Amino acid sequence: ILNVVLRYVFKNGMIELEELQWHLYCIGWLVGLSSTYIVDSHVRVDVLSERLSYRTKLWFELFGILILFLPFVILVLYYAVPFFELSWASSERSTSANGLPARWFVKGFLVLGFFLLLLAGLSRLTRVLVTLRSKFGVGK
């Protein structure tokens, strides 16, 4: 709010506040990915799945995790780790004169966020497999 007031009321924005806003948004979004997936609040195409049995939904979930989710997360991690390492090794900072130092810090959250997402996906995969093998999954 301070940045908006400074920019539009006083016609004098601060690049530090703009970058801080971007960094905080990035960190919140990346960490929020895994928690959203854990509590099952992510976007789904329920138009198709509402007509399916519980067991069929579990099979779709299983194949979705194995074919789409895990390969994507692993691919992002594969490229994010060197991206972060280069930023760390070069002590990357903002290109703006008044920008924030330590750009590597926010790039590290890319690795952390997707690692947490990988753990959440493996947890869900385990739950789906256990449910499919249990009597509860078979009976539904």
Side-chain angles (χ1 to χ4, degrees), residues 39-73:
V39 297
D40 204 22
S41 294
H42 56 287
V43 176
R44 292 183 180 267
V45 183
D46 288 331
V47 175
L48 301 174
S49 68
E50 67 184 12
R51 296 187 179 111
L52 302 174
S53 70
Y54 181 70
R55 186 163 177 77
T56 307
K57 288 179 189 178
L58 286 173
W59 279 106
F60 271 104
E61 182 84 19
L62 175 68
F63 291 122
I65 291 170
L66 291 175
I67 295 170
L68 301 171
F69 180 84
L70 288 178
F72 172 73
V73 171

mmCIF file of all heavy atoms in Angstrom, residues 39-73:
data_model
loop_
_atom_site.group_PDB
_atom_site.id
_atom_site.type_symbol
_atom_site.label_atom_id
_atom_site.label_comp_id
_atom_site.label_asym_id
_atom_site.label_seq_id
_atom_site.Cartn_x
_atom_site.Cartn_y
_atom_site.Cartn_z
ATOM 1 N N VAL A 39 -4.115 -29.899 0.715
ATOM 2 C CA VAL A 39 -5.503 -29.790 1.174
ATOM 3 C C VAL A 39 -6.502 -29.952 0.025
ATOM 4 O O VAL A 39 -7.693 -29.743 0.210
ATOM 5 C CB VAL A 39 -5.760 -28.464 1.935
ATOM 6 C CG1 VAL A 39 -4.929 -28.389 3.194
ATOM 7 C CG2 VAL A 39 -5.514 -27.272 1.044
ATOM 8 N N ASP A 40 -6.006 -30.312 -1.155
ATOM 9 C CA ASP A 40 -6.838 -30.617 -2.317
ATOM 10 C C ASP A 40 -7.679 -29.414 -2.762
ATOM 11 O O ASP A 40 -8.848 -29.545 -3.091
ATOM 12 C CB ASP A 40 -7.732 -31.825 -2.012
ATOM 13 C CG ASP A 40 -8.178 -32.542 -3.267
ATOM 14 O OD1 ASP A 40 -7.508 -32.403 -4.302
ATOM 15 O OD2 ASP A 40 -9.213 -33.242 -3.216
ATOM 16 N N SER A 41 -7.069 -28.242 -2.761
ATOM 17 C CA SER A 41 -7.756 -27.032 -3.174
ATOM 18 C C SER A 41 -7.319 -26.542 -4.551
ATOM 19 O O SER A 41 -7.623 -25.431 -4.937
ATOM 20 C CB SER A 41 -7.516 -25.905 -2.161
ATOM 21 O OG SER A 41 -8.103 -26.220 -0.940
ATOM 22 N N HIS A 42 -6.574 -27.362 -5.264
ATOM 23 C CA HIS A 42 -6.112 -26.970 -6.589
ATOM 24 C C HIS A 42 -7.236 -27.114 -7.616
ATOM 25 O O HIS A 42 -8.257 -27.745 -7.359
ATOM 26 C CB HIS A 42 -4.880 -27.788 -6.984
ATOM 27 C CG HIS A 42 -5.096 -29.269 -6.937
ATOM 28 N ND1 HIS A 42 -5.192 -29.952 -5.753
ATOM 29 C CD2 HIS A 42 -5.248 -30.172 -7.913
ATOM 30 C CE1 HIS A 42 -5.396 -31.228 -6.009
ATOM 31 N NE2 HIS A 42 -5.444 -31.390 -7.315
ATOM 32 N N VAL A 43 -7.036 -26.546 -8.781
ATOM 33 C CA VAL A 43 -8.052 -26.534 -9.837
ATOM 34 C C VAL A 43 -8.173 -27.932 -10.446
ATOM 35 O O VAL A 43 -7.186 -28.585 -10.736
ATOM 36 C CB VAL A 43 -7.669 -25.512 -10.928
ATOM 37 C CG1 VAL A 43 -8.658 -25.556 -12.071
ATOM 38 C CG2 VAL A 43 -7.585 -24.121 -10.343
ATOM 39 N N ARG A 44 -9.405 -28.358 -10.628
ATOM 40 C CA ARG A 44 -9.687 -29.646 -11.260
ATOM 41 C C ARG A 44 -10.774 -29.458 -12.302
ATOM 42 O O ARG A 44 -11.514 -28.491 -12.261
ATOM 43 C CB ARG A 44 -10.194 -30.665 -10.245
ATOM 44 C CG ARG A 44 -9.194 -31.105 -9.240
ATOM 45 C CD ARG A 44 -9.858 -32.161 -8.359
ATOM 46 N NE ARG A 44 -8.956 -32.627 -7.357
ATOM 47 C CZ ARG A 44 -8.182 -33.695 -7.486
ATOM 48 N NH1 ARG A 44 -8.217 -34.395 -8.582
ATOM 49 N NH2 ARG A 44 -7.382 -34.068 -6.529
ATOM 50 N N VAL A 45 -10.898 -30.415 -13.199
ATOM 51 C CA VAL A 45 -11.985 -30.418 -14.178
ATOM 52 C C VAL A 45 -13.057 -31.347 -13.628
ATOM 53 O O VAL A 45 -13.100 -32.529 -13.944
ATOM 54 C CB VAL A 45 -11.488 -30.874 -15.563
ATOM 55 C CG1 VAL A 45 -12.611 -30.790 -16.590
ATOM 56 C CG2 VAL A 45 -10.302 -30.043 -16.000
ATOM 57 N N ASP A 46 -13.917 -30.809 -12.776
ATOM 58 C CA ASP A 46 -14.922 -31.619 -12.099
ATOM 59 C C ASP A 46 -16.099 -31.978 -12.992
ATOM 60 O O ASP A 46 -16.903 -32.829 -12.650
ATOM 61 C CB ASP A 46 -15.431 -30.903 -10.845
ATOM 62 C CG ASP A 46 -14.394 -30.877 -9.747
ATOM 63 O OD1 ASP A 46 -13.570 -31.802 -9.708
ATOM 64 O OD2 ASP A 46 -14.403 -29.944 -8.939
ATOM 65 N N VAL A 47 -16.226 -31.324 -14.150
ATOM 66 C CA VAL A 47 -17.324 -31.621 -15.057
ATOM 67 C C VAL A 47 -17.255 -33.083 -15.493
ATOM 68 O O VAL A 47 -18.263 -33.770 -15.579
ATOM 69 C CB VAL A 47 -17.275 -30.686 -16.294
ATOM 70 C CG1 VAL A 47 -18.332 -31.051 -17.306
ATOM 71 C CG2 VAL A 47 -17.414 -29.247 -15.856
ATOM 72 N N LEU A 48 -16.057 -33.571 -15.731
ATOM 73 C CA LEU A 48 -15.894 -34.960 -16.154
ATOM 74 C C LEU A 48 -15.895 -35.918 -14.969
ATOM 75 O O LEU A 48 -16.488 -36.992 -15.027
ATOM 76 C CB LEU A 48 -14.584 -35.119 -16.936
ATOM 77 C CG LEU A 48 -14.438 -34.268 -18.196
ATOM 78 C CD1 LEU A 48 -13.044 -34.418 -18.764
ATOM 79 C CD2 LEU A 48 -15.488 -34.662 -19.212
ATOM 80 N N SER A 49 -15.239 -35.541 -13.902
ATOM 81 C CA SER A 49 -15.041 -36.484 -12.798
ATOM 82 C C SER A 49 -16.258 -36.643 -11.893
ATOM 83 O O SER A 49 -16.337 -37.627 -11.157
ATOM 84 C CB SER A 49 -13.838 -36.071 -11.959
ATOM 85 O OG SER A 49 -14.104 -34.882 -11.275
ATOM 86 N N GLU A 50 -17.227 -35.745 -11.952
ATOM 87 C CA GLU A 50 -18.369 -35.867 -11.043
ATOM 88 C C GLU A 50 -19.242 -37.077 -11.379
ATOM 89 O O GLU A 50 -19.970 -37.567 -10.536
ATOM 90 C CB GLU A 50 -19.199 -34.588 -11.041
ATOM 91 C CG GLU A 50 -19.908 -34.295 -12.334
ATOM 92 C CD GLU A 50 -20.626 -32.968 -12.316
ATOM 93 O OE1 GLU A 50 -20.400 -32.161 -11.406
ATOM 94 O OE2 GLU A 50 -21.429 -32.739 -13.225
ATOM 95 N N ARG A 51 -19.163 -37.571 -12.594
ATOM 96 C CA ARG A 51 -19.961 -38.731 -12.999
ATOM 97 C C ARG A 51 -19.237 -40.062 -12.773
ATOM 98 O O ARG A 51 -19.807 -41.112 -12.985
ATOM 99 C CB ARG A 51 -20.330 -38.603 -14.476
ATOM 100 C CG ARG A 51 -21.219 -37.429 -14.757
ATOM 101 C CD ARG A 51 -21.697 -37.441 -16.193
ATOM 102 N NE ARG A 51 -22.560 -36.305 -16.417
ATOM 103 C CZ ARG A 51 -22.243 -35.288 -17.177
ATOM 104 N NH1 ARG A 51 -21.094 -35.255 -17.807
ATOM 105 N NH2 ARG A 51 -23.089 -34.288 -17.326
ATOM 106 N N LEU A 52 -17.974 -39.985 -12.382
ATOM 107 C CA LEU A 52 -17.173 -41.196 -12.220
ATOM 108 C C LEU A 52 -17.295 -41.754 -10.810
ATOM 109 O O LEU A 52 -17.545 -41.019 -9.859
ATOM 110 C CB LEU A 52 -15.705 -40.897 -12.523
ATOM 111 C CG LEU A 52 -15.392 -40.343 -13.903
ATOM 112 C CD1 LEU A 52 -13.930 -39.964 -14.004
ATOM 113 C CD2 LEU A 52 -15.774 -41.328 -14.990
ATOM 114 N N SER A 53 -17.064 -43.056 -10.682
ATOM 115 C CA SER A 53 -17.061 -43.662 -9.355
ATOM 116 C C SER A 53 -15.794 -43.226 -8.607
ATOM 117 O O SER A 53 -14.828 -42.758 -9.206
ATOM 118 C CB SER A 53 -17.094 -45.196 -9.471
ATOM 119 O OG SER A 53 -15.853 -45.670 -9.982
ATOM 120 N N TYR A 54 -15.827 -43.432 -7.309
ATOM 121 C CA TYR A 54 -14.683 -43.040 -6.477
ATOM 122 C C TYR A 54 -13.422 -43.774 -6.908
ATOM 123 O O TYR A 54 -12.349 -43.194 -7.005
ATOM 124 C CB TYR A 54 -15.008 -43.322 -5.005
ATOM 125 C CG TYR A 54 -13.907 -42.945 -4.063
ATOM 126 C CD1 TYR A 54 -13.603 -41.605 -3.847
ATOM 127 C CD2 TYR A 54 -13.178 -43.919 -3.399
ATOM 128 C CE1 TYR A 54 -12.583 -41.244 -2.978
ATOM 129 C CE2 TYR A 54 -12.156 -43.561 -2.528
ATOM 130 C CZ TYR A 54 -11.867 -42.225 -2.319
ATOM 131 O OH TYR A 54 -10.853 -41.865 -1.477
ATOM 132 N N ARG A 55 -13.550 -45.042 -7.186
ATOM 133 C CA ARG A 55 -12.402 -45.859 -7.600
ATOM 134 C C ARG A 55 -11.837 -45.368 -8.940
ATOM 135 O O ARG A 55 -10.619 -45.296 -9.109
ATOM 136 C CB ARG A 55 -12.815 -47.318 -7.690
ATOM 137 C CG ARG A 55 -11.658 -48.240 -7.960
ATOM 138 C CD ARG A 55 -12.050 -49.683 -7.622
ATOM 139 N NE ARG A 55 -10.992 -50.605 -7.920
ATOM 140 C CZ ARG A 55 -9.911 -50.781 -7.188
ATOM 141 N NH1 ARG A 55 -9.743 -50.073 -6.096
ATOM 142 N NH2 ARG A 55 -8.994 -51.661 -7.528
ATOM 143 N N THR A 56 -12.689 -45.019 -9.876
ATOM 144 C CA THR A 56 -12.235 -44.508 -11.175
ATOM 145 C C THR A 56 -11.521 -43.169 -10.996
ATOM 146 O O THR A 56 -10.504 -42.913 -11.651
ATOM 147 C CB THR A 56 -13.422 -44.371 -12.139
ATOM 148 O OG1 THR A 56 -14.123 -45.617 -12.205
ATOM 149 C CG2 THR A 56 -12.972 -43.976 -13.530
ATOM 150 N N LYS A 57 -12.037 -42.344 -10.107
ATOM 151 C CA LYS A 57 -11.363 -41.073 -9.816
ATOM 152 C C LYS A 57 -9.960 -41.309 -9.264
ATOM 153 O O LYS A 57 -9.021 -40.586 -9.601
ATOM 154 C CB LYS A 57 -12.176 -40.249 -8.802
ATOM 155 C CG LYS A 57 -13.434 -39.657 -9.350
ATOM 156 C CD LYS A 57 -14.157 -38.891 -8.252
ATOM 157 C CE LYS A 57 -15.524 -38.468 -8.685
ATOM 158 N NZ LYS A 57 -16.252 -37.767 -7.622
ATOM 159 N N LEU A 58 -9.839 -42.324 -8.416
ATOM 160 C CA LEU A 58 -8.524 -42.655 -7.865
ATOM 161 C C LEU A 58 -7.568 -43.096 -8.969
ATOM 162 O O LEU A 58 -6.390 -42.748 -8.947
ATOM 163 C CB LEU A 58 -8.638 -43.751 -6.801
ATOM 164 C CG LEU A 58 -9.212 -43.337 -5.456
ATOM 165 C CD1 LEU A 58 -9.414 -44.555 -4.560
ATOM 166 C CD2 LEU A 58 -8.314 -42.319 -4.782
ATOM 167 N N TRP A 59 -8.050 -43.871 -9.929
ATOM 168 C CA TRP A 59 -7.194 -44.295 -11.037
ATOM 169 C C TRP A 59 -6.760 -43.099 -11.886
ATOM 170 O O TRP A 59 -5.611 -43.018 -12.311
ATOM 171 C CB TRP A 59 -7.905 -45.342 -11.896
ATOM 172 C CG TRP A 59 -7.816 -46.702 -11.287
ATOM 173 C CD1 TRP A 59 -8.822 -47.391 -10.650
ATOM 174 C CD2 TRP A 59 -6.662 -47.540 -11.216
ATOM 175 N NE1 TRP A 59 -8.352 -48.599 -10.188
ATOM 176 C CE2 TRP A 59 -7.028 -48.721 -10.535
ATOM 177 C CE3 TRP A 59 -5.343 -47.418 -11.652
ATOM 178 C CZ2 TRP A 59 -6.138 -49.759 -10.287
ATOM 179 C CZ3 TRP A 59 -4.457 -48.460 -11.415
ATOM 180 C CH2 TRP A 59 -4.858 -49.606 -10.737
ATOM 181 N N PHE A 60 -7.679 -42.172 -12.135
ATOM 182 C CA PHE A 60 -7.311 -40.954 -12.867
ATOM 183 C C PHE A 60 -6.273 -40.150 -12.092
ATOM 184 O O PHE A 60 -5.326 -39.617 -12.668
ATOM 185 C CB PHE A 60 -8.543 -40.073 -13.133
ATOM 186 C CG PHE A 60 -9.229 -40.403 -14.417
ATOM 187 C CD1 PHE A 60 -10.417 -41.111 -14.416
ATOM 188 C CD2 PHE A 60 -8.695 -39.989 -15.626
ATOM 189 C CE1 PHE A 60 -11.056 -41.414 -15.604
ATOM 190 C CE2 PHE A 60 -9.321 -40.289 -16.821
ATOM 191 C CZ PHE A 60 -10.506 -41.008 -16.812
ATOM 192 N N GLU A 61 -6.459 -40.075 -10.785
ATOM 193 C CA GLU A 61 -5.503 -39.378 -9.927
ATOM 194 C C GLU A 61 -4.128 -40.032 -10.002
ATOM 195 O O GLU A 61 -3.101 -39.360 -10.132
ATOM 196 C CB GLU A 61 -6.003 -39.375 -8.479
ATOM 197 C CG GLU A 61 -5.129 -38.659 -7.515
ATOM 198 C CD GLU A 61 -5.364 -37.169 -7.464
ATOM 199 O OE1 GLU A 61 -6.434 -36.726 -7.913
ATOM 200 O OE2 GLU A 61 -4.471 -36.458 -6.991
ATOM 201 N N LEU A 62 -4.096 -41.344 -9.944
ATOM 202 C CA LEU A 62 -2.841 -42.087 -10.007
ATOM 203 C C LEU A 62 -2.101 -41.812 -11.320
ATOM 204 O O LEU A 62 -0.920 -41.463 -11.320
ATOM 205 C CB LEU A 62 -3.110 -43.588 -9.859
ATOM 206 C CG LEU A 62 -1.897 -44.508 -10.019
ATOM 207 C CD1 LEU A 62 -0.946 -44.314 -8.849
ATOM 208 C CD2 LEU A 62 -2.341 -45.950 -10.125
ATOM 209 N N PHE A 63 -2.803 -41.944 -12.432
ATOM 210 C CA PHE A 63 -2.145 -41.714 -13.722
ATOM 211 C C PHE A 63 -1.787 -40.247 -13.926
ATOM 212 O O PHE A 63 -0.766 -39.932 -14.539
ATOM 213 C CB PHE A 63 -3.008 -42.235 -14.868
ATOM 214 C CG PHE A 63 -3.090 -43.731 -14.892
ATOM 215 C CD1 PHE A 63 -4.310 -44.376 -14.820
ATOM 216 C CD2 PHE A 63 -1.943 -44.508 -14.948
ATOM 217 C CE1 PHE A 63 -4.387 -45.759 -14.825
ATOM 218 C CE2 PHE A 63 -2.003 -45.888 -14.947
ATOM 219 C CZ PHE A 63 -3.237 -46.516 -14.890
ATOM 220 N N GLY A 64 -2.594 -39.344 -13.400
ATOM 221 C CA GLY A 64 -2.275 -37.921 -13.482
ATOM 222 C C GLY A 64 -0.997 -37.588 -12.727
ATOM 223 O O GLY A 64 -0.155 -36.819 -13.208
ATOM 224 N N ILE A 65 -0.848 -38.180 -11.556
ATOM 225 C CA ILE A 65 0.368 -37.948 -10.768
ATOM 226 C C ILE A 65 1.587 -38.532 -11.477
ATOM 227 O O ILE A 65 2.625 -37.878 -11.592
ATOM 228 C CB ILE A 65 0.220 -38.548 -9.353
ATOM 229 C CG1 ILE A 65 -0.807 -37.762 -8.540
ATOM 230 C CG2 ILE A 65 1.557 -38.554 -8.621
ATOM 231 C CD1 ILE A 65 -1.197 -38.414 -7.229
ATOM 232 N N LEU A 66 1.463 -39.763 -11.961
ATOM 233 C CA LEU A 66 2.612 -40.446 -12.566
ATOM 234 C C LEU A 66 2.996 -39.888 -13.938
ATOM 235 O O LEU A 66 4.178 -39.801 -14.266
ATOM 236 C CB LEU A 66 2.318 -41.946 -12.690
ATOM 237 C CG LEU A 66 2.242 -42.713 -11.377
ATOM 238 C CD1 LEU A 66 1.831 -44.160 -11.636
ATOM 239 C CD2 LEU A 66 3.561 -42.654 -10.628
ATOM 240 N N ILE A 67 2.015 -39.498 -14.741
ATOM 241 C CA ILE A 67 2.300 -39.093 -16.121
ATOM 242 C C ILE A 67 2.478 -37.586 -16.269
ATOM 243 O O ILE A 67 3.284 -37.130 -17.080
ATOM 244 C CB ILE A 67 1.187 -39.608 -17.058
ATOM 245 C CG1 ILE A 67 1.203 -41.135 -17.067
ATOM 246 C CG2 ILE A 67 1.342 -39.074 -18.468
ATOM 247 C CD1 ILE A 67 0.026 -41.767 -17.763
ATOM 248 N N LEU A 68 1.754 -36.808 -15.477
ATOM 249 C CA LEU A 68 1.804 -35.351 -15.630
ATOM 250 C C LEU A 68 2.529 -34.640 -14.488
ATOM 251 O O LEU A 68 3.457 -33.876 -14.705
ATOM 252 C CB LEU A 68 0.379 -34.785 -15.758
ATOM 253 C CG LEU A 68 -0.443 -35.314 -16.921
ATOM 254 C CD1 LEU A 68 -1.875 -34.843 -16.810
ATOM 255 C CD2 LEU A 68 0.165 -34.885 -18.242
ATOM 256 N N PHE A 69 2.083 -34.894 -13.274
ATOM 257 C CA PHE A 69 2.554 -34.135 -12.124
ATOM 258 C C PHE A 69 4.032 -34.369 -11.815
ATOM 259 O O PHE A 69 4.829 -33.427 -11.794
ATOM 260 C CB PHE A 69 1.692 -34.471 -10.894
ATOM 261 C CG PHE A 69 2.083 -33.745 -9.656
ATOM 262 C CD1 PHE A 69 1.614 -32.468 -9.427
ATOM 263 C CD2 PHE A 69 2.919 -34.319 -8.714
ATOM 264 C CE1 PHE A 69 1.974 -31.780 -8.280
ATOM 265 C CE2 PHE A 69 3.285 -33.646 -7.574
ATOM 266 C CZ PHE A 69 2.812 -32.370 -7.361
ATOM 267 N N LEU A 70 4.395 -35.613 -11.547
ATOM 268 C CA LEU A 70 5.780 -35.904 -11.149
ATOM 269 C C LEU A 70 6.805 -35.546 -12.233
ATOM 270 O O LEU A 70 7.831 -34.930 -11.907
ATOM 271 C CB LEU A 70 5.924 -37.361 -10.714
ATOM 272 C CG LEU A 70 5.284 -37.702 -9.367
ATOM 273 C CD1 LEU A 70 5.441 -39.185 -9.058
ATOM 274 C CD2 LEU A 70 5.860 -36.861 -8.247
ATOM 275 N N PRO A 71 6.572 -35.876 -13.506
ATOM 276 C CA PRO A 71 7.555 -35.457 -14.511
ATOM 277 C C PRO A 71 7.727 -33.934 -14.587
ATOM 278 O O PRO A 71 8.846 -33.432 -14.733
ATOM 279 C CB PRO A 71 6.996 -36.003 -15.829
ATOM 280 C CG PRO A 71 6.158 -37.153 -15.423
ATOM 281 C CD PRO A 71 5.568 -36.771 -14.094
ATOM 282 N N PHE A 72 6.619 -33.189 -14.462
ATOM 283 C CA PHE A 72 6.710 -31.733 -14.505
ATOM 284 C C PHE A 72 7.517 -31.193 -13.329
ATOM 285 O O PHE A 72 8.412 -30.368 -13.509
ATOM 286 C CB PHE A 72 5.308 -31.105 -14.525
ATOM 287 C CG PHE A 72 5.329 -29.619 -14.387
ATOM 288 C CD1 PHE A 72 5.750 -28.816 -15.431
ATOM 289 C CD2 PHE A 72 4.959 -29.009 -13.195
ATOM 290 C CE1 PHE A 72 5.786 -27.440 -15.309
ATOM 291 C CE2 PHE A 72 4.988 -27.645 -13.061
ATOM 292 C CZ PHE A 72 5.403 -26.851 -14.125
ATOM 293 N N VAL A 73 7.211 -31.656 -12.134
ATOM 294 C CA VAL A 73 7.902 -31.165 -10.939
ATOM 295 C C VAL A 73 9.389 -31.525 -10.988
ATOM 296 O O VAL A 73 10.250 -30.700 -10.666
ATOM 297 C CB VAL A 73 7.226 -31.703 -9.655
ATOM 298 C CG1 VAL A 73 8.045 -31.388 -8.421
ATOM 299 C CG2 VAL A 73 5.828 -31.128 -9.513
#
